[in-house]
Amino acid sequence: MKIKTIKLLSLGLALFIVSCSNSNESVSEETQGAIYRGPYHIEFLACTTGPDYSNENAQKMLSEWKELDHSDDLRWAGIHAPEGDNNRFDNGWWELEWTSKEAADAAWATENPEFLAWAQKHESVISCDGEGRYPWTFYLPRASDSFGSVEGENGYYASAYLACSFNEGYESKDLRAAVVEYNTYLDNGNDVGPYYFGVYYPEFETDDDFLWLNAHSSFEGMATGNADWEVNGKDMQAKFDTISTCRTPDIYNSWMLRSVEEES
């Protein structure tokens, strides 16, 4: 659907965050159709650059973060940096996927000397608001590699987030049914890949009912997929438009930094 103390977490690149997913238990099949994987507990942290920010310093900071001894409950991590001038937010984002909310809270409550030293070292490069993190529930409606691997060798991909509200009389079960139809649409040979999508539901007070994620391997691939959608996705778009109203997408350069494969 072409339908976004140091308990400040210092993280970043010229870029910031996003989440695909690999963890937790699959949701059982219901009458609306099966959800591939989820729910997952996601946290978004708003990130800003500091006086010592540079591409080189950010790369060094992220390389050192990867070497830290991370909790086994941290299943996925990534960063997103705004692309262009039309996003709702000027800041970037750090995204963390945990096995559960309880595991996330426990990890944040732990005074990890290694992590604190790393955060202090790099707080003038990029800092992220760990105290004000935003919790979401994430669903992955199909395998993220259905149309080929989206992330490049360095973890890079292009992402678009649409903040959406349900139209009167509609709710999450209606979106779920439409997602089942959308999967069928994708399987009919349309020019979308490499591509995956996901749905986030907020666990905090906000005017938006859900976020829709489109992830592509590049902005060129995103443009190709959007062009195909304009021609072949009109009926499917009309179904989504009946259910919800979405804002203009926020576009990001995204990098996957950590991914722990889910056991089958």
Side-chain angles (χ1 to χ4, degrees):
M1 176 188 180
K2 303 308 176 191
I3 74 164
K4 176 196 107 95
T5 245
I6 313 181
K7 290 184 177 168
L8 287 180
L9 190 63
S10 266
L11 309 157
L13 192 38
L15 347 140
F16 303 76
I17 105 185
V18 78
S19 174
C20 114
S21 234
N22 291 312
S23 70
N24 267 356
E25 300 175 359
S26 297
V27 172
S28 60
E29 187 169 334
E30 298 179 6
T31 55
Q32 297 98 330
I35 294 172
Y36 175 66
R37 284 180 180 166
Y40 305 101
H41 181 70
I42 300 294
E43 295 178 326
F44 283 95
L45 288 70
C47 302
T48 55
T49 58
D52 294 330
Y53 174 81
S54 68
N55 243 3
E56 182 180 358
N57 287 342
Q59 291 276 9
K60 180 180 179 181
M61 180 183 66
L62 293 178
S63 294
E64 292 181 11
W65 181 87
K66 292 179 182 180
E67 299 302 317
L68 297 177
D69 185 17
H70 298 292
S71 167
D72 291 339
D73 290 310
L74 180 60
R75 306 291 299 181
W76 192 96
I79 56 172
H80 305 298
E83 170 68 16
D85 300 322
N86 296 321
N87 287 358
R88 286 192 295 161
F89 307 102
D90 294 333
N91 59 273
W93 300 95
W94 183 275
E95 185 174 3
L96 304 172
E97 175 198 301
W98 302 91
T99 55
S100 67
K101 180 182 184 302
E102 293 72 22
D105 290 343
W108 281 101
T110 300
E111 296 292 335
N112 183 319
E114 182 186 32
F115 170 78
L116 292 176
W118 170 85
Q120 286 178 323
K121 179 180 178 180
H122 296 291
E123 63 182 340
S124 64
V125 178
I126 293 174
S127 63
C128 301
D129 186 4
E131 294 291 340
R133 56 196 186 274
Y134 296 94
W136 297 79
T137 296
F138 178 76
Y139 292 91
L140 184 68
R142 66 183 300 144
S144 59
D145 60 355
S146 294
F147 305 103
S149 178
V150 170
E151 295 86 2
E153 289 185 6
N154 65 348
Y156 175 81
Y157 59 102
S159 62
Y161 282 87
L162 290 80
C164 305
S165 299
F166 287 116
N167 295 331
E168 185 175 357
Y170 292 91
E171 55 189 42
S172 59
K173 67 181 179 65
D174 301 299
L175 177 62
R176 181 173 178 178
V179 164
V180 173
E181 291 187 56
Y182 183 56
N183 271 332
T184 300
Y185 164 84
L186 293 174
D187 288 329
N188 285 337
N190 295 287
D191 187 5
V192 297
Y195 166 78
Y196 70 83
F197 70 101
V199 180
Y200 299 76
Y201 291 99
E203 299 297 336
F204 61 97
E205 290 297 322
T206 176
D207 292 335
D208 303 316
D209 292 321
F210 66 93
L211 285 180
W212 181 283
L213 162 67
N214 289 313
H216 297 263
S217 59
S218 66
F219 287 113
E220 291 79 8
M222 183 182 290
T224 298
N226 288 343
D228 183 87
W229 178 258
E230 289 295 327
V231 175
N232 298 311
K234 294 178 181 178
D235 290 344
M236 194 69 244
Q237 181 68 67
K239 293 179 180 180
F240 282 125
D241 288 344
T242 298
I243 296 167
S244 61
T245 300
C246 298
R247 302 175 188 264
T248 301
D250 291 330
I251 308 299
Y252 295 93
N253 293 288
S254 299
W255 282 260
M256 180 178 71
L257 301 178
R258 172 179 171 86
S259 180
V260 178
E261 292 299 323
E262 184 174 20
E263 294 181 3
S264 56

